[in-house]
Amino acid sequence: MKRSDFANSPCPIDRSLNVVGDTWTLQILRDAMHGVTRFNDYRSHIGIATNILSARLQKLVNEGIFEVHKSEMGNSHNYILTDKGRDLLLVLSALRQWGQQHLFDDSEMINRAIDAKTGLSPKRMMLLAEDGRELSPDDLLVVQSRRCDPIEDATVVDTPRRRSNTNVEKSSLENNKTAFKK
């Protein structure tokens, strides 16, 4: 079954998944963050078929996540992360931390990322409010506007949480003194 194309969705998660939301692509990006740049190295590290790897790398180049540089040997290419690609480090780190916490038994071997300078694990990632509070899904409200518009001009999106608990919307809007259009 063919996946839906979310390229024009108003949801940033949909659009992100449209670009990087498959297992092979995430593994390519993980290896790129670890310094892999050459086609054959991706193929051997991941165990991916050449046609699939070629298609995924081309898509990442087209999306501006990789740039292609000719290798010093001249007979191959290096796939180098752009700033846009390097920004995916937070996404991959969040997946790594979630996996470490929820998918491994204490006795299992696990690959961990540590700070090369200190040898310590990075702090647990969390979503913080402007006032420093840790946010949970219950604390979030989805609004819609053009990216260039001020948040005050946004419209609240109708979601199950909004329908079941209008107090969340009212209290958060009153606390923020922001009047969203209904």
Side-chain angles (χ1 to χ4, degrees), residues 1 8 15 33 37 66 71 92 108 112 122 128 158 182:
M1 183 162 96
N8 295 315
R15 287 193 185 193
M33 298 292 174
T37 61
F66 278 133
S71 76
L92 294 170
E108 283 185 275
R112 299 183 197 206
L128 300 177
D158 190 25
K182 299 275 176 160

Side-chain angles (χ1 to χ4, degrees), residues 9-65:
S9 171
C11 176
I13 294 172
D14 286 349
R15 287 193 185 193
S16 299
L17 289 172
N18 203 52
V19 175
V20 299
D22 70 83
T23 304
W24 295 122
T25 300
L26 290 172
Q27 289 177 314
I28 291 166
L29 291 168
R30 175 206 58 206
D31 282 6
M33 298 292 174
H34 296 170
V36 175
T37 61
R38 298 188 58 203
F39 186 95
N40 286 333
D41 293 336
Y42 284 115
R43 194 181 67 199
S44 65
H45 288 177
I46 300 170
I48 184 173
T50 56
N51 62 324
I52 295 171
L53 177 57
S54 183
R56 294 309 189 283
L57 288 171
Q58 188 58 56
K59 181 176 183 179
L60 292 168
V61 169
N62 292 343
E63 292 289 344
I65 293 170

Side-chain angles (χ1 to χ4, degrees), residues 72-108:
E72 293 174 6
M73 295 179 280
N75 60 351
S76 64
H77 297 94
N78 290 323
Y79 294 87
I80 308 299
L81 286 166
T82 62
D83 289 342
K84 182 178 179 179
R86 293 174 66 80
D87 282 348
L88 288 163
L89 175 63
L90 291 175
V91 175
L92 294 170
S93 296
L95 281 171
R96 180 185 297 275
Q97 287 184 357
W98 181 86
Q100 285 176 192
Q101 182 174 350
H102 297 288
L103 303 178
F104 288 86
D105 292 330
D106 289 344
S107 61
E108 283 185 275

Side-chain angles (χ1 to χ4, degrees), residues 114-127:
I114 61 170
D115 182 335
K117 185 176 181 179
T118 65
L120 300 173
S121 295
K123 285 186 175 182
R124 183 179 76 83
M125 296 175 69
M126 59 184 92
L127 187 61

